[in-house]
């Protein structure tokens, strides 16, 4: 990696890695050619840089994307300013092939101008990385890549879920509910259902109206609300007992879903607390 690049891994899973990449290069710094090791879709958050490849040259600005496929040769330039920051999605050939996009020529474009639909999903990924949404970062990444690959495809017809898919979704939801205090990975759920990761995400969301991660968080929050009714249970203990590995993440998620902090929720009168618990249950059922 270049001395001007600093990459922080935000997620690493089966065939997918998401990185926060900060570049400090400027106009006077060299732009050596590099080779893509895998499929990459990098969302430009701040700054600007150029990308030169055999397919042409692109000047990328916030909202744009750098794209590449294994073996592609490219060079990044910074003629117009110093520094940029990207949310970079790296995918294996197996994952991309599973989404039906390994042969897509879009991977060799080098760069893409800002597109609203792609930008919104990339922003969703950034929000997931910051714990500001109930959608998981892996889920946001898969939705982004699928949208990228479907840009030039005709829109598929929307059909009612099959009975087998409804059974898969319900069985998965019940399993999540029974194991909500444990680490639950999207790939594990997909294997249990006998589906690819993205196909499972699509089936679950279509049948139940929420993503698996949203359902998991809702299950954890329902349990947390019940435990917080006991004044002798420290908030930190409640957070870890229901499956949150980080207290601050628990507090942010609870406040976003319920409207008050866990401590404030505990101090509410019983009737008002029961009302908020009911609201949690309704939000999980949507």
């Amino acid at each position: 990696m270049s001395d001007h690049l600093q990459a922080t891994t935000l997620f690493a899973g089966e065939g997918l890695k998401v990185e926060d990449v900060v570049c400090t290069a400027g106009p006077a710094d060299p732009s050596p050619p590099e080779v893509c090791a895998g499929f990459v879709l990098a969302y430009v958050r701040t700054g600007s840089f150029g990308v030169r490849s055999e397919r042409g040259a692109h000047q990328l600005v916030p909202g744009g994307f750098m794209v590449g496929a294994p073996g592609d040769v490219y060079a990044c330039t910074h003629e117009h300013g110093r520094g940029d920051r990207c949310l970079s999605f790296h995918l294996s050939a197996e994952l991309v092939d599973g989404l039906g996009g390994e042969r897509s020529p879009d991977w060799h474009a080098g760069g893409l101008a800002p597109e609203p639909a792609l930008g919104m999903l990339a922003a969703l990924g950034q929000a997931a990385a910051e714990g500001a949404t109930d959608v998981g970062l892996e889920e946001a990444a898969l939705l982004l890549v699928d949208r990228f690959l479907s840009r030039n495809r005709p829109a598929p017809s929307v059909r009612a879920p099959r009975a087998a898919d409804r059974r898969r979704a319900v069985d998965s939801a019940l399993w999540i509910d029974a194991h909500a205090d444990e680490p639950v990975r999207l790939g594990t759920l997909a294997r249990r259902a006998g589906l690819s990761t993205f196909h499972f995400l699509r089936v679950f969301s279509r049948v139940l109206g929420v993503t698996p991660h949203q359902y998991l968080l809702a299950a954890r929050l329902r349990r947390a609300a019940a435990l917080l009714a006991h004044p002798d249970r420290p908030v930190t203990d409640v957070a870890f007992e229901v499956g949150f590995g980080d207290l601050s993440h628990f507090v942010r998620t609870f406040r976003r879903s319920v409207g008050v902090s866990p401590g404030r929720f505990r101090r509410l009168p019983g009737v008002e607390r029961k009302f908020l618990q009911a609201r949690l249950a309704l939000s999980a059922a949507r």
Side-chain angles (χ1 to χ4, degrees), residues 202-271:
R202 183 163 50 189
V203 165
F204 190 98
S205 302
R206 184 176 297 171
V207 172
L208 298 180
V210 292
T211 71
H213 191 69
Q214 287 176 313
Y215 186 83
L216 172 63
L217 289 184
R220 289 174 173 171
L221 291 175
R222 289 196 306 274
R223 295 185 182 188
L227 292 175
L228 287 169
H230 302 281
D232 58 334
R233 302 293 291 273
V235 172
T236 300
D237 290 356
V238 170
F240 286 106
E241 186 170 338
V242 301
F244 285 90
D246 179 80
L247 177 61
S248 62
H249 182 209
F250 169 63
V251 172
R252 286 197 308 271
T253 305
F254 194 97
R255 186 191 298 274
R256 185 173 62 247
S257 299
V258 183
V260 296
S261 69
R264 171 63 180 153
F265 177 83
R266 164 171 281 165
R267 295 189 297 272
L268 290 174
V271 172

Side-chain angles (χ1 to χ4, degrees):
M1 181 177 294
S2 166
D3 293 339
H4 297 287
L5 284 179
Q6 179 180 351
T8 302
T9 300
L10 304 176
F11 175 87
E14 300 173 10
L16 171 68
K17 181 167 68 172
V18 184
E19 295 181 328
D20 176 27
V21 180
V22 177
C23 178
T24 59
D29 294 307
S31 304
E34 302 179 61
V35 181
C36 281
F39 290 94
V40 61
L41 187 61
Y43 172 63
V44 184
R45 295 179 55 204
T46 62
S48 174
F49 64 97
V51 177
R52 294 198 306 266
S53 69
E54 297 175 353
R55 305 296 179 99
H58 303 268
Q59 187 64 40
L60 301 181
V61 295
F65 289 84
M66 174 184 166
V67 296
D72 283 359
V73 179
Y74 68 96
C76 293
T77 62
H78 292 82
E79 304 101 316
H80 304 294
R82 175 174 293 278
D84 58 82
R85 188 169 192 171
C86 295
L87 186 64
S88 189
F89 301 86
H90 302 268
L91 305 104
S92 68
E94 293 77 15
L95 178 57
V96 174
D97 187 47
L99 293 173
E102 189 172 3
R103 298 178 182 274
S104 172
D106 287 348
W107 286 113
H108 303 282
L112 295 176
E115 296 184 16
L118 288 179
M120 285 190 294
L121 288 172
L124 178 64
Q126 184 60 43
E130 296 170 353
T133 174
D134 292 344
V135 176
L137 180 52
E138 183 180 14
E139 294 171 343
L142 291 174
L143 294 171
L144 170 64
V145 175
D146 181 67
R147 182 67 184 87
F148 165 71
L149 293 172
S150 63
R151 290 158 61 249
N152 298 317
R153 298 176 188 164
S157 57
V158 178
R159 300 177 181 176
R162 300 178 303 165
D165 287 338
R166 290 196 295 272
R167 284 196 300 272
R168 286 188 177 103
V170 170
D171 175 70
S172 296
L174 294 176
W175 191 90
I176 291 171
D177 200 61
H179 296 82
D181 59 334
E182 305 170 12
V184 177
R185 302 296 292 267
L186 192 58
T188 302
L189 296 170
R191 282 191 295 273
R192 285 192 74 259
L195 301 173
S196 70
T197 304
F198 179 72
H199 190 194
F200 171 77
L201 172 61
R202 183 163 50 189
V203 165
F204 190 98
S205 302
R206 184 176 297 171
V207 172
L208 298 180
V210 292
T211 71
H213 191 69
Q214 287 176 313
Y215 186 83
L216 172 63
L217 289 184
R220 289 174 173 171
L221 291 175
R222 289 196 306 274
R223 295 185 182 188
L227 292 175
L228 287 169
H230 302 281
D232 58 334
R233 302 293 291 273
V235 172
T236 300
D237 290 356
V238 170
F240 286 106
E241 186 170 338
V242 301
F244 285 90
D246 179 80
L247 177 61
S248 62
H249 182 209
F250 169 63
V251 172
R252 286 197 308 271
T253 305
F254 194 97
R255 186 191 298 274
R256 185 173 62 247
S257 299
V258 183
V260 296
S261 69
R264 171 63 180 153
F265 177 83
R266 164 171 281 165
R267 295 189 297 272
L268 290 174
V271 172
E272 190 172 350
R273 192 165 61 237
K274 287 183 181 298
F275 171 78
L276 292 177
Q277 284 178 294
R279 193 169 79 175
L280 268 178
L282 286 174
S283 67
R286 290 194 187 106

